[in-house]
């Protein structure tokens, strides 16, 4: 038996229960991993609320963790007991002391990287990688807009985009978050509760607009994000922390010949070589100091509901990590 967070009914943070679960032994192609640090992501909130559907209920949430291999499936080569590995994505179930994972979904973690840092960059860091380097290729001279610039993904996006030579405009909700976004390389920070971000972007870009908007907020920002784009600009709508955006008619894109994409990390790391390349780039950027990962919030695993409460309540900045109790 191991301890895990279980969700028996969809709803608020209080539906997350701390329970014993039977784990069993790893089968062919699988490993058993004892988690050292678990990343909390907004996607966990979507699953808890039922915005995204879990395959079955009850379920253990969580899609990002780092741990030590404690057992390997029969005949498995390439992984051994004692390896430190990390993973992001499916299968869900990282809010647990231990979990069973397909061996081909994990990557080795360099020993120089702290487990809390690694557990903050598998999902969030690889998302920054695919958004900036593959979904739309940010280059020197581009001006980009990043919403929720002080958040987990946002903080990494701003640091990385700055290093790529882009002019980075970020939106945040408070002055405190603005200070962090500035430190993370935002050249212009817009405090959305005080300023109209479309007007400010128009002003900053002298009416031209930005090459790309990375919009993870959704409902509250989507329309404004379209308005911030320059001719032939790209709207990358990759999340919906404020709710799903309203449907958009194609004619809304025709006005400026815009591009719109709704990408997911899973499709950008589905192949093993893509996964290794994305993780490798993230780890390399940590080693060279391009990314200074902010692990701003740590909670005991059993207190995951408090972590969700704070994340949804816009109280967090940078990464949120759960540490297995004891
Ligand atoms: P964040 O740390 O960014 O937290 C969410 C932030 O969104 C808040 O801090 C807040 O920042 C902002 N926000 C704006 N409106 C709301 C609202 N109504 N309720 C709550 N928050 C709001 O979370 P993550 O880094 O974990 O994830 C960021 C986004 O990226 C999420 O939308 C997530 O789904 C998406 N994502 C998508 C992936 C993909 O593959 N498509 C992969 C990974 C993440 P502020 O107060 O400054 O406005």
């Amino acid at each position: 038996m191991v301890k895990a967070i279980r969700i028996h009914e969809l709803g608020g943070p209080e539906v997350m229960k701390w329970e014993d679960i039977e784990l069993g032994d790893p089968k062919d192609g699988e490993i058993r991993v004892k988690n050292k640090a678990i990343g909390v992501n907004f996607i966990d909130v979507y699953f808890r609320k039922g915005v995204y559907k879990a395959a079955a209920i009850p379920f253990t949430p969580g899609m990002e963790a780092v741990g030590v291999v404690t057992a390997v499936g029969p005949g498995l080569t390439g992984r051994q007991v004692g390896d430190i590995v990390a993973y992001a994505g499916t299968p869900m179930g990282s809010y647990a002391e231990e979990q069973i994972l397909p061996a081909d979904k994990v990557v080795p973690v360099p020993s120089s990287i702290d487990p809390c840092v690694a557990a903050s960059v598998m999902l969030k860091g690889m998302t920054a990688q695919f958004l900036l380097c593959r979904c739309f290729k940010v280059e020197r001279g581009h001006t980009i807009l990043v919403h929720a610039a002080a958040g987990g993904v946002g903080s990494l996006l701003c640091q990385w985009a700055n290093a790529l030579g882009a002019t980075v405009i970020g939106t945040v909700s408070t002055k405190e978050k603005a200070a962090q976004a500035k430190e993370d390389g935002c050249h212009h920070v817009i405090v959305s509760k005080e300023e109209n971000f479309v007007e400010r972007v128009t002003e900053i870009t002298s009416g031209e607009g930005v090459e790309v908007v990375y919009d993870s907020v959704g409902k509250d920002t989507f329309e404004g994000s379209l308005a911030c784009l320059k001719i032939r600009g790209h709207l990358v709508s990759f999340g919906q922390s404020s709710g799903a955006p309203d449907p958009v008619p194609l004619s809304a894109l025709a006005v400026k010949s815009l591009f719109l994409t709704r990408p997911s990390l899973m499709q950008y790391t589905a192949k093993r070589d893509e996964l290794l390349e994305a993780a490798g780039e993230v780890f390399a950027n940590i080693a060279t100091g391009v990314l200074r990962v902010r692990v701003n919030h740590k909670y005991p695993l059993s207190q995951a509901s408090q972590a969700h409460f704070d994340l949804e309540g816009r109280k967090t900045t940078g990464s949120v990590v759960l540490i297995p109790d004891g």
Side-chain angles (χ1 to χ4, degrees), residues 139-154:
E139 291 169 5
R140 183 166 299 282
H142 284 164
T143 301
I144 77 166
L145 175 63
V146 177
H147 289 300
V153 177

Side-chain angles (χ1 to χ4, degrees), residues 309-323:
F309 185 79
D310 293 344
L311 181 64
E312 275 179 281
R314 302 166 80 160
K315 291 180 170 51
T316 65
T317 54
S319 298
V320 179
V321 168
L322 303 173
I323 311 291

Side-chain angles (χ1 to χ4, degrees), residues 76 83 92 118 133 141 149 152 205 213 224 240 247 280 291 297:
L76 188 79
D83 284 354
M92 234 186 325
C133 306
T205 61
V213 179
Q240 49 183 68
L291 295 179
H297 310 270

Side-chain angles (χ1 to χ4, degrees), residues 42 46 123 127 151-153 172-173 177 216 238 241 263-265 314:
F42 220 91
Y46 304 143
L123 205 144
T127 295
V153 177
V172 295
S173 60
K177 290 187 178 185
S216 65
F238 72 102
S241 48
S264 162
L265 173 66
R314 302 166 80 160

Side-chain angles (χ1 to χ4, degrees), residues 42 46 49 145-148 171-173 190-193 195-199 213-228 235 237-247 312-314:
F42 220 91
Y46 304 143
K49 288 162 100 170
L145 175 63
V146 177
H147 289 300
T171 70
V172 295
S173 60
I190 302 168
V191 180
S192 53
K193 283 189 178 157
E195 303 168 281
N196 177 307
F197 78 84
V198 180
E199 285 173 14
V213 179
Y214 291 108
D215 189 338
S216 65
V217 173
K219 192 170 185 59
D220 291 352
T221 48
F222 189 87
E223 215 182 307
S225 294
L226 278 179
C228 288
L235 176 50
S237 171
F238 72 102
Q240 49 183 68
S241 48
S242 69
D246 293 329
E312 275 179 281
R314 302 166 80 160

Side-chain angles (χ1 to χ4, degrees), residues 121 125 155-156 159-160 281-282 285-286 288-293:
V121 295
S155 162
L156 300 174
Q159 295 178 36
W160 198 325
E281 264 194 58
V282 171
N285 273 346
I286 294 171
T288 56
V290 166
L291 295 179
R292 296 165 311 281
V293 182

Side-chain angles (χ1 to χ4, degrees), residues 249-262:
L250 280 179
S251 55
L253 306 181
V255 189
K256 289 189 275 184
S257 296
L258 301 175
F259 296 83
L260 169 63
T261 181
R262 196 346 183 155

